[in-house]
Amino acid sequence: MRAYKKTLSFMLMLCMVLCSFSIAFAQEAADLIVYGTIYTSNPDQDVAQAMAVKDGKYIYVGDKAGAKPYIGSNTKVINHKAGMIMAGATEAHGHYIMQSMEQLMVTTSADSLTELKADLEAFIKKNPDRTAYVGAGWNRQNDLQPNADINYSAELDKICADKPVLLMDTDHHQAVCNTKAFTLCFSDKGASLQDNEKGREDTASIPGAVILRLPDGQANGYVRDQAVFVALRKLSNDLINEKDYDFVMQDMQRVLYSQGYTNYNDGLTDGAGIKVIDELFKADKNGTLKVIVRPNMNILAMDMLDDESLNASVAAVEKYNKKEAKHILPSGIKIFADGVTETQTGVIDVPYIGTDYYGNAVLTEEDIYRLAKAANEKGIGIHSHSYGNVAVNYTINAFIRAQQAVNNGTRNTMAHVMNVLPQDYKRMVDNNIAIAENINWHTAITETALEAQNYPGGIPRSIWLTNYPINSLVKNGVIVASSTDAPAANGHPTDVFGIIEVAVNPIALHWLDNKPELEKEQLRAFGYTKEKLTLDAVLNADEFISVKEALDVMTINGAKFMEIDKERGSIEVGKYADFLLVDKNILVCPVDEIHKTKINKVYFEGQQVY
């Protein structure tokens, strides 16, 4: 009996020692402890008081008392008393690489052709050695609205005739070019530029291109949609100087941090094409890329005219996806199913006001299916610009057909999704289709608000009043992430907190402050003032979501969209420590003050980067 007691005592002591050793081992000293109000984006523990970080990952998330054992002699401790802490957000469809490049290109915010020519002339004087002059930013105002009576090429030739000139508008779906650029980008392709009574034409070699013509049939240098992207690709080596790519990589990250993003799905890696992807890999290799980036190689309609060209396009993407990288995800393929409603090229199920025109399909359902099947077989996802509800519908049809043929779980995604047919919600969920939604456009103060006032060519009110169905998408279980489309955001918010306010606040009056004076005058003419804005002007007033839902859309949903939610997108033990310290607790502050939230610090993999 005595021996038994001794053995029992020994076993108990051994157990205590082992337990103590286990606890000591589990609670090793953290590199960083952060105290504060932490919104985790984890449904099992949505709010915490403390978190511990070791070797770039969370090793503890919970209450204050539980974090104390992780404090060692070299542990940095942050008491973030004001505001809150949240996971790094995801930009699910933007053009931040191009935005950084455009700082080195012709910059303009012209409201007239005269202003645009002056901006071009000023840039040429400062940069006389450029081989081409490409830029963006002009507004569709006055004589910069498409006009078949103006020879835009001839006007630009007056400033520069010997080098190509291509100047895009704010959303990059329209451009004006000089004669040199038009000849270089289109004429040498043997395009069959047929006359078209509406100035819209699908050419033989450039499907989806829109080329405006003078009354005598001559192209006037005003081009739209696929024509713009064909020209960009043709001039890709002339956009910026080689030495400037280091600036582009650093500036792109700086802007993402300042907006609250640590994950980024690039919506169009075709401004400088393959060169941009090469530069991303170079930055990742030398340790200067400290965001998660998914590039998407742009495949145009002209790249899919036959199976040979289609397969060659897929093979080019597959080649890059075999390269090793720490922070670069496998590339997807970016396509355009249709255009945009602002240019009457988004495909909708009712005609544009005063017309018999339903939009401009760049790719048919069969086109998208062919490409999606070929890409999905290689594990490559398609990222489709699908704007109008008809384009959304036939894109979904094509994705479903491809998945049924391949059946390997490859995720395909869509951006913009201005309008959705109700029967398509469940189909998105059932077929693993995720959405990059332009929540930032879901506000009363928009160009769309003007277009809903029944002027010829505008968006039909039935479409306008059901724009951007965020709540329906979320409630039906669709993976919805946030997209800004920057720099084509046209004055709408691009930062995390501006977007969250738009998602939860039906009026969002403060965006009037950001509008150009001319547009303010137009808005006032329609009765839109800071003092008076009626609810019937609001885009789809039933489609707003809660603050927590909006936070989840920005964080964990964005990570799901990019298929990195097992390691990022929420503050959970074992995940990378990508998080923001901000100066307001938006869980409790008035909704009309959310946009005033400032980002104090950004951490990526446990290291402060901003």
Side-chain angles (χ1 to χ4, degrees), residues 11 35 79 129 137 141 361 375 417 433 442 444 472 480 503 540 553 593:
M11 293 298 293
Y35 295 116
N79 282 291
D129 298 330
Q141 305 279 4
V417 191
I433 299 169
H442 193 264
S472 293
V480 181
N540 214 350
V553 164
E593 293 184 7

Side-chain angles (χ1 to χ4, degrees), residues 398-586:
F399 285 170
I400 292 173
R401 289 173 60 196
Q403 275 299 290
Q404 288 174 341
V406 176
N407 194 30
N408 65 359
T410 301
R411 171 167 292 161
N412 297 309
T413 62
M414 287 188 288
H416 308 312
V417 191
M418 182 197 77
N419 218 264
V420 184
L421 297 174
Q423 64 265 31
D424 283 338
Y425 296 127
K426 186 175 187 301
R427 300 171 73 219
M428 292 179 194
V429 176
D430 291 345
N431 292 279
N432 195 30
I433 299 169
I435 305 297
E437 183 64 275
N438 282 103
I439 297 173
N440 59 329
W441 295 345
H442 193 264
T443 171
I445 306 301
T446 66
E447 290 175 88
T448 310
L450 296 177
E451 293 177 355
Q453 304 306 314
N454 294 317
Y455 72 79
I459 301 170
R461 193 166 181 82
S462 63
I463 293 289
W464 181 71
L465 288 176
T466 55
N467 272 353
Y468 309 111
I470 309 164
N471 186 50
S472 293
L473 288 163
V474 170
K475 293 294 191 295
N476 279 280
V478 179
I479 296 173
V480 181
S482 172
S483 156
T484 68
D485 208 31
N490 298 328
H492 304 298
T494 56
D495 68 290
V496 168
F497 300 100
I499 293 169
I500 289 176
E501 178 168 319
V502 169
V504 304
N505 180 14
I507 303 298
L509 288 174
H510 58 278
W511 300 121
L512 184 64
D513 297 333
N514 297 330
K515 289 294 177 183
E517 192 57 40
L518 178 61
E519 192 168 340
K520 286 182 182 180
E521 292 176 7
Q522 292 173 317
L523 288 164
R524 293 187 189 107
F526 287 118
Y528 297 153
T529 66
K530 295 185 71 172
E531 294 73 29
K532 180 181 179 182
L533 184 67
T534 57
L535 280 173
D536 65 356
V538 177
L539 282 174
N540 214 350
D542 295 331
E543 290 291 347
F544 295 90
I545 56 179
S546 70
V547 173
K548 285 187 176 182
E549 286 174 326
L551 278 164
D552 289 345
V553 164
M554 303 302 300
T555 55
I556 189 61
N557 276 21
K560 288 178 180 178
F561 178 93
M562 292 182 69
E563 298 184 275
I564 54 174
D565 52 300
K566 301 300 183 186
E567 54 188 27
R568 301 180 194 269
S570 60
I571 298 175
E572 297 183 58
V573 171
K575 290 191 176 185
Y576 283 105
D578 306 338
F579 60 92
L580 317 177
L581 304 182
V582 303
D583 71 349
K584 282 185 181 294
N585 182 349
I586 68 169

Side-chain angles (χ1 to χ4, degrees), residues 173-416:
H173 279 262
Q174 300 183 103
V176 291
C177 56
N178 69 353
T179 303
K180 186 85 172 179
F182 189 88
T183 302
L184 176 67
C185 297
F186 305 111
S187 298
D188 70 346
K189 291 182 177 298
S192 174
L193 303 180
Q194 304 291 328
D195 287 336
N196 183 292
E197 62 180 355
K198 295 183 182 298
R200 307 179 182 91
E201 50 195 301
D202 288 352
T203 70
S205 60
I206 315 176
V210 178
I211 298 173
L212 198 65
R213 290 185 170 278
L214 297 167
D216 64 3
Q218 177 187 352
N220 70 350
Y222 200 109
V223 299
R224 292 179 175 180
D225 289 307
Q226 292 283 287
V228 178
F229 306 120
V230 167
L232 262 182
R233 177 182 292 181
K234 187 72 175 180
L235 299 173
S236 62
N237 291 329
D238 301 303
L239 298 181
I240 64 173
N241 296 322
E242 175 73 22
K243 62 181 177 61
D244 292 325
Y245 275 102
D246 285 343
F247 164 81
V248 170
M249 293 295 117
Q250 291 305 308
D251 186 69
M252 176 264 293
Q253 293 179 81
R254 178 192 62 79
V255 175
L256 287 169
Y257 300 149
S258 70
Q259 305 290 303
Y261 303 111
T262 55
N263 307 313
Y264 171 46
N265 183 62
D266 190 75
L268 177 65
T269 316
D270 199 15
I274 300 299
K275 179 62 180 171
V276 161
I277 303 180
D278 287 337
E279 291 296 325
L280 282 169
F281 276 98
K282 184 191 298 182
D284 192 47
K285 186 175 181 179
N286 66 28
T288 59
L289 185 64
K290 296 182 179 179
V291 294
I292 301 300
V293 180
R294 169 175 285 138
N296 286 281
M297 201 174 293
N298 192 26
I299 303 298
L300 301 176
M302 61 182 288
D303 301 324
M304 301 167 51
L305 292 176
D306 53 56
D307 289 341
E308 183 179 356
S309 58
L310 183 151
N311 290 330
S313 298
V314 173
V317 179
E318 186 183 21
K319 169 189 168 185
Y320 272 90
N321 287 353
K322 291 179 179 178
K323 296 180 69 172
E324 291 187 9
K326 184 177 181 181
H327 297 131
I328 302 172
L329 300 179
S331 176
I333 291 177
K334 164 70 182 293
I335 61 171
F336 288 85
D338 62 343
V340 296
T341 52
E342 290 82 359
T343 62
Q344 301 178 29
T345 53
V347 184
I348 53 180
D349 61 351
V350 292
Y352 287 85
I353 295 171
T355 77
D356 59 357
Y357 191 62
Y358 290 78
N360 184 57
V362 176
L363 296 175
T364 66
E365 178 182 324
E366 191 62 28
D367 292 330
I368 299 172
Y369 164 69
R370 287 172 52 240
L371 180 61
K373 180 176 179 293
N376 290 173
E377 285 175 345
K378 305 292 186 181
I380 300 169
I382 302 296
H383 182 58
S384 176
H385 168 117
S386 299
Y387 211 84
N389 55 8
V390 172
V392 170
N393 179 262
Y394 68 67
T395 301
I396 293 172
N397 293 342
F399 285 170
I400 292 173
R401 289 173 60 196
Q403 275 299 290
Q404 288 174 341
V406 176
N407 194 30
N408 65 359
T410 301
R411 171 167 292 161
N412 297 309
T413 62
M414 287 188 288
H416 308 312

